Amino acid sequence: MSEQQDTSGPIETDVVIIGAGPAGLFAVFELGLLDLKCHLIDILDRPGGQCTELYPEKPIYDIPALPIVTGQELVDRLMEQIAPFKPGFHFGEMANALQRQADGRWKLITDTGKEFLAPVIVIAAGGGSFVPKRPPIPGIEAYEGTSVFYAVRKMDQFRGRDILIAGGGDSALDWTLNLAPIAKSLTLVHHRDGFRAAQHSVNQMRELVDAGKVKFHVASVKALHGNNGQLEAVTLQGADKSEWRHDTNAFLPFFGLTMKLGPIAEFGLNLHENLIPVDTAKFETSTPGLFAIGDINTYAGKLKLILSAFHEAALVSQAAFRIARPNEKLRFQYTTSSSNLQKKLGVA
Amino acid sequence: MKIIATDRNGKTTEIEGNDGWTVMEALRDAGLPITAECGGACACATCHVYVEEGWLEKLPKQRDEEVDMLDMAVAVQDNSRLSCQIVCSDETDGIQVTLAPE
Ligand SMILES: Cc1cc2nc3c(=O)[nH]c(=O)nc-3n(C[C@H](O)[C@H](O)[C@H](O)COP(=O)(O)OP(=O)(O)OC[C@H]3O[C@@H](n4cnc5c(N)ncnc54)[C@H](O)[C@@H]3O)c2cc1C
Ligand code: FES
């Protein structure tokens, strides 16, 4: 989706926004009205942050003038609203490091090595980046990336392996179905004989079990056995508390995502209980040129609401303009009556 | 109404729950390290607790939504519950819960 995939040099822009939740998305709109060009980075593979990841189907009732809107609808509407400004989207990437350049701009580097140069950074990182939940099995870290995987990037990596999948949601079931044909063996374990996943996937899984192509146990993984990051077996515990050894060399736990502050903790900002203190006039952090809006920031009276994030986005854009366009005059205009703004929105 | 809460290091504290509020809110407001990412919407499973001996039966039956959401919790046991789905009442006065690992 990103309009500029050139990896030969850094992407130069006015504002880089970390996080494509409601705060980051609406910031594109407010910054766009002031002619500031934005690029957004999000570790998720789609926009919306918590709204799409945690509650796409749930109704929200406290968005002004939208008596009811679901999480997904809100995000779809925001995407429509910001489309005229053609922001650059960089999904599936983690904003990893931030450095001040000699010319005063920021260099932001993602985990894929992509670089951005911009005078303004807006941190709209919400509760942090979404990362997979890690089951509390002793020593699991040692196997991550070699024998324990929280996502499937290349299916071929699993060909001919003895795969163990844990979980009862859509990811667990979908990957059971997708990997079964290429695995040497595939076993699914879950703490109950019932699944949150879509019914048709569950039915298909049960057919594979009946055909002897997949094994299913009501069990949980208690211990991992192996050497040098190479998993050889796990200890499974059944519903009756009996334990047995199960041979496997690829373990995929699927328990969904949770938010962790992640690399932002290393940006050298003052943090207060994993939140970034800001002033309430500009929503600037203790570091000039670095702003924070939405759930990630804190100030006296802060409410973690989408409504507040929108307000913060409007104010942040004024401050960002003064940094990105030091020689231009900021003009306050209404979208209703300014033909200049309407041109930017593509309606005039 | 009282809640006896044990954290992940085994430290037990007695905290106060408000009638009609949830156990998750009591844990959070008392400063215990419960993530409760979705704020009680039964949408994250990061308010997972183990309900101690004798208390499980006294609680109203789990809704299907909670049973499903527990599929997204790690280290689920027979006495697992989502604390945002347990409402404090006279029946739960004195309930003992332990924070599940994260
Ligand atoms: C179940 C539920 C119900 C809710 N109901 C309401 C409601 O009715 N009304 C209301 O106003 N609010 C509600 N909220 C709260 C609302 O969703 C949040 O206030 C809002 O999502 C905050 O937006 P945000 O953009 O600040 O952060 P988020 O939505 O958390 O988005 C932040 C994004 O930043 C990304 N990110 C973070 N760090 C990095 C990094 N280093 N690199 C790359 N990406 C990164 C994350 O992956 C995430 O996508 C609800 C929340 C939940 C969970
Ligand atoms: S707080 Fe999210 S499920 Fe209970």
Side-chain angles (χ1 to χ4, degrees):
Chain A
M1 279 199 65
S2 48
E3 38 117 51
Q4 195 174 350
Q5 278 293 2
D6 187 2
T7 45
S8 59
I11 296 172
E12 300 193 34
T13 185
D14 292 317
V15 183
V16 176
I17 302 173
I18 303 174
L25 293 177
F26 195 63
V28 171
F29 183 83
E30 291 292 337
L31 291 158
L33 287 180
L34 303 180
D35 281 326
L36 298 181
K37 170 89 186 147
C38 303
H39 281 260
L40 294 123
I41 302 167
D42 204 302
I43 187 69
L44 293 178
D45 57 7
R46 53 180 178 204
Q50 294 172 46
C51 301
T52 37
E53 191 53 41
L54 294 176
Y55 62 108
E57 312 286 339
K58 283 194 205 289
I60 310 172
Y61 298 100
D62 59 351
I63 303 299
L66 282 180
I68 175 172
V69 65
T70 67
Q72 185 62 56
E73 278 165 3
L74 179 87
V75 173
D76 291 346
R77 284 165 181 245
L78 282 168
M79 289 296 281
E80 184 188 334
Q81 195 168 19
I82 68 176
F85 300 111
K86 302 189 177 58
F89 289 104
H90 307 269
F91 291 118
E93 292 188 53
M94 182 83 94
N96 235 358
L98 191 63
Q99 301 152 1
R100 180 80 95 173
Q101 301 300 104
D103 65 3
R105 287 189 296 173
W106 294 99
K107 182 194 257 182
L108 192 144
I109 309 167
T110 72
D111 60 346
T112 63
K114 207 181 275 174
E115 296 185 346
F116 297 85
L117 280 174
V120 174
I121 304 282
V122 174
I123 304 172
S129 56
F130 279 97
V131 293
K133 284 184 197 150
R134 170 193 277 163
I137 308 168
I140 191 165
E141 297 90 338
Y143 297 100
E144 288 171 357
T146 47
S147 309
V148 171
F149 305 90
Y150 300 104
V152 177
R153 300 236 185 267
K154 278 191 271 138
M155 259 177 73
D156 229 35
Q157 194 175 13
F158 296 94
R159 188 173 296 279
R161 291 177 88 162
D162 291 304
I163 301 174
L164 176 68
I165 292 181
D170 282 313
S171 297
L173 273 282
D174 289 350
W175 287 115
T176 296
L177 301 177
N178 287 327
L179 293 175
I182 63 165
K184 185 165 162 219
S185 73
L186 193 145
T187 304
L188 173 68
V189 292
H190 186 42
H191 73 264
R192 62 176 179 131
D193 190 3
F195 300 86
R196 160 189 163 81
Q199 194 53 46
H200 63 91
S201 320
V202 176
N203 295 344
Q204 272 178 286
M205 181 274 293
R206 294 205 194 275
E207 282 166 25
L208 289 175
V209 170
D210 291 342
K213 290 184 177 139
V214 162
K215 284 202 186 70
F216 170 66
H217 301 295
V218 175
S220 49
V221 177
K222 288 285 147 184
L224 306 174
H225 312 288
N227 280 307
N228 302 324
Q230 300 302 325
L231 188 66
E232 288 156 18
V234 298
T235 300
L236 292 178
Q237 186 186 64
D240 59 359
K241 300 279 173 275
S242 64
E243 292 193 354
W244 68 96
R245 192 180 157 97
H246 173 90
D247 289 341
T248 173
N249 49 24
F251 173 36
L252 291 94
F254 288 117
F255 296 103
L257 305 177
T258 186
M259 289 183 280
K260 290 264 172 336
L261 184 57
I264 290 166
E266 316 301 320
F267 285 3
L269 290 162
N270 288 336
L271 291 178
H272 177 73
E273 290 176 354
N274 275 350
L275 298 170
I276 306 175
V278 289
D279 70 75
T280 48
K282 299 190 283 190
F283 298 94
E284 197 163 30
T285 67
S286 52
T287 310
L290 266 189
F291 297 84
I293 59 171
D295 279 13
I296 190 78
N297 75 13
T298 181
Y299 50 85
K302 168 74 182 182
L303 287 177
K304 287 189 186 181
L305 286 177
I306 295 165
L307 170 76
S308 323
F310 289 170
H311 160 75
E312 293 162 18
L315 294 205
V316 104
S317 61
Q318 307 275 312
F321 181 88
R322 293 190 170 93
I323 293 178
R325 302 275 189 273
N327 303 321
E328 290 176 35
K329 206 166 148 41
L330 185 60
R331 185 170 169 207
F332 179 79
Q333 302 173 93
Y334 288 122
T335 54
T336 340
S337 41
S338 158
S339 56
N340 170 19
L341 293 183
Q342 289 170 2
K343 246 184 235 128
K344 295 176 196 177
L345 292 167
V347 292
Chain B
M1 15 212 77
K2 303 221 166 330
I3 298 166
I4 320 287
T6 306
D7 70 13
R8 295 183 194 97
N9 300 321
K11 187 167 163 271
T12 298
T13 35
E14 190 179 294
I15 62 173
E16 202 59 42
N18 295 327
D19 193 10
W21 290 40
T22 68
V23 169
M24 178 278 280
E25 291 170 303
L27 296 169
R28 186 191 60 194
D29 294 350
L32 275 94
I34 189 112
T35 305
E37 201 156 81
C38 78
C42 201
C44 72
T46 60
C47 63
H48 177 197
V49 296
Y50 303 129
V51 175
E52 299 311 330
E53 276 299 316
W55 286 101
L56 213 50
E57 308 75 62
K58 295 193 188 144
L59 299 177
K61 216 171 124 4
Q62 282 169 295
R63 292 185 305 143
D64 289 350
E65 217 188 347
E66 181 185 347
V67 176
D68 276 355
M69 202 59 225
L70 268 168
D71 282 0
M72 291 292 120
V74 293
V76 172
Q77 305 177 0
D78 295 340
N79 60 343
S80 284
R81 290 291 310 259
L82 295 179
S83 60
C84 72
Q85 302 300 305
I86 307 174
V87 178
C88 299
S89 67
D90 288 337
E91 281 75 60
T92 68
D93 194 10
I95 188 172
Q96 284 169 275
V97 299
T98 301
L99 303 198
E102 301 197 307

